[in-house]
Structure formats: structure tokens, C-alpha cells
Amino acid sequence: DAGITQSPRHKVTETGTPVTLRCHQTENHRYMYWYRQDPGHGLRLIHYSYGVKDTDKGEVSDGYSVSRSKTEDFLLTLESATSSQTSVYFCAISESSEKLFFGSGTQLSVL
Amino acid sequence: GDSVTQMEGPVTLSEEAFLTINCTYTATGYPSLFWYVQYPGEGLQLLLKATKADDKGSNKGFEATYRKETTSFHLEKGSVQVSDSAVYFCALTTNYGQNFVFGPGTRLSVLP
């Protein structure tokens, strides 16, 4: 299995609070991704990174920001959480081999 | 933009039945095509892939053929098992792995 760790695995928070999710990899892969998974929508890309300090927006980036200061870490921040951001969040990594490796996911509930 | 369409299900089959999950795509350029599988409580795992027209990807008894003329990549298995119960995602990439587009997923339940 690829070395990808997401933390926390579960989080419950209140509307309006900031939340940061962490993805850590030990594979030295160039590309890192944050997806959210919702019923009826499958996986939707939030943000991705193609190198240290190089990030770009995905299709559902509003309300989210990311940072990648080291190859191994990719942080996803919800500046002010809303109930619509209740979801399961997956981190994924890839190299140029066109294969994605996924973390185990973070279940986030915004009350 | 690029997109993937697949039957959402749920699909319920008896053990040893034949499985087909349809997937069609819209893409600029020449995409690589994938099937990923998600078991309960886990992240997605690559099941199989095909990188050019007429290629057949196969793994664990599953197979899919890249059909450029019909823009399709249907997943098949001749005899499903209870352990195949999962959600199956069709996906594509056109950027040599830089960006992936996923279908909505198809939930498969196999009954003993």
C-alpha cells in the first residue's frame, strides 16, 4: 500500500469555525489532490498540487484553501466551515504513471 | 469539459451472476481510462486501466475494453462473488496523471 496518512480520521465541528485537514505521504510523489465524496456526486476535485508551493483549483474550490510547503504534506483548510461542507474528504497522490493512490479518508461533520 | 457517465445503481446480483457496469466518457484529446473500486470504509483502489483504443484492462476477473468509437469503457465480470460488493468508479485522465475526472460511482451488492 502507498504511504498516505490522513488526519484526523473523523472530526465534528461547528459552523463558522476553521478546520484543517492534513495529508502526509512517504512516497515522494509529485502530485497531491484533495477530493470530496458526496452521495450522488461521486468524487469531486477541490484543489490539487503539482509541486511544493504549486497548487491549483478544482471544480469545487470555493470555501477551501490549500498549502504545500513540503513535498510530503498537503493541507486543506476550511476557513469558516459550513454545513454544506459536511462530507468525506480523500487525499490522493500520483506520479506520472497515471495511477492515483488514495488515503483512507476523513469524515467531517459540520453542525 | 471532460466528463464521465456511469449507471448509478444500486446494482444487486446473486453470487455467480454476470456483471456489467456501463461507463461512457466525453474528453478532448486521448484519455486514459480507469476503473477504481471502493470497499466499505476505505479509500479508492485502482482495479484496472487502459491507455489507448482497443486496449483491454483486466484484474481479479474483471475486464474492460477501451472503445474509442463508442467512447465507452464498460466493466464486466463473468461470475461475481459476495466479496465483490463495493462501489465502482469509472474515471479518465488526459493530462498524463495531472488531473482525473470521476463518474458518480455504482454501488454493487452481491447476495449469497
Side-chain angles (χ1 to χ4, degrees):
Chain A
D1 289 343
I4 309 171
T5 304
Q6 290 186 233
S7 59
R9 290 296 312 276
H10 303 273
K11 185 165 181 71
V12 179
T13 191
E14 294 184 349
T15 299
T17 60
V19 177
T20 295
L21 308 182
R22 180 179 184 241
C23 178
H24 178 78
Q25 62 148 326
T26 58
E27 306 295 321
N28 201 35
H29 281 1
R30 178 182 178 188
Y31 301 105
M32 299 187 74
Y33 308 79
W34 278 108
Y35 289 90
R36 59 178 290 174
Q37 184 178 26
D38 303 289
H41 292 280
L43 285 166
R44 292 181 292 175
L45 182 65
I46 305 171
H47 282 278
Y48 66 99
S49 169
Y50 41 95
V52 173
K53 298 186 179 179
D54 288 326
T55 65
D56 207 347
K57 296 179 180 180
E59 63 175 302
V60 290
S61 59
D62 287 349
Y64 301 94
S65 62
V66 290
S67 67
R68 190 168 179 199
S69 58
K70 298 184 290 185
T71 298
E72 57 266 34
D73 289 325
F74 192 33
L75 303 180
L76 176 70
T77 298
L78 290 66
E79 303 290 348
S80 178
T82 67
S83 58
S84 65
Q85 293 176 313
T86 293
S87 186
V88 180
Y89 291 85
F90 285 100
C91 175
I93 64 175
S94 76
E95 259 307 324
S96 57
S97 60
E98 300 186 316
K99 179 178 177 179
L100 278 176
F101 297 92
F102 283 83
S104 299
T106 296
Q107 173 69 59
L108 176 67
S109 298
V110 183
L111 305 179
Chain B
D2 298 344
S3 66
V4 175
T5 302
Q6 63 179 110
M7 52 193 294
E8 292 197 34
V11 175
T12 303
L13 296 173
S14 297
E15 203 164 25
E16 300 184 0
F18 183 85
L19 169 70
T20 299
I21 301 177
N22 291 337
C23 171
T24 58
Y25 66 90
T26 302
T28 55
Y30 301 96
S32 294
L33 303 175
F34 306 82
W35 278 100
Y36 279 81
V37 58
Q38 183 182 32
Y39 298 103
E42 299 182 9
L44 281 70
Q45 306 171 25
L46 179 66
L47 180 59
L48 54 85
K49 73 174 188 178
T51 58
K52 61 183 187 295
D54 299 325
D55 270 2
K56 177 184 285 187
S58 61
N59 186 24
K60 301 181 180 179
F62 291 90
E63 56 183 36
T65 301
Y66 189 146
R67 301 290 188 195
K68 186 178 177 183
E69 63 275 12
T70 55
T71 61
S72 65
F73 193 54
H74 305 321
L75 182 68
E76 296 181 336
K77 187 175 185 182
S79 176
V80 294
Q81 306 300 311
V82 173
S83 57
D84 294 327
S85 297
V87 181
Y88 293 82
F89 292 89
C90 187
L92 66 82
T93 183
T94 54
N95 270 359
Y96 301 100
Q98 185 170 338
N99 196 2
F100 287 75
V101 176
F102 286 85
T106 300
R107 182 174 299 279
L108 170 66
S109 296
V110 180
L111 306 178

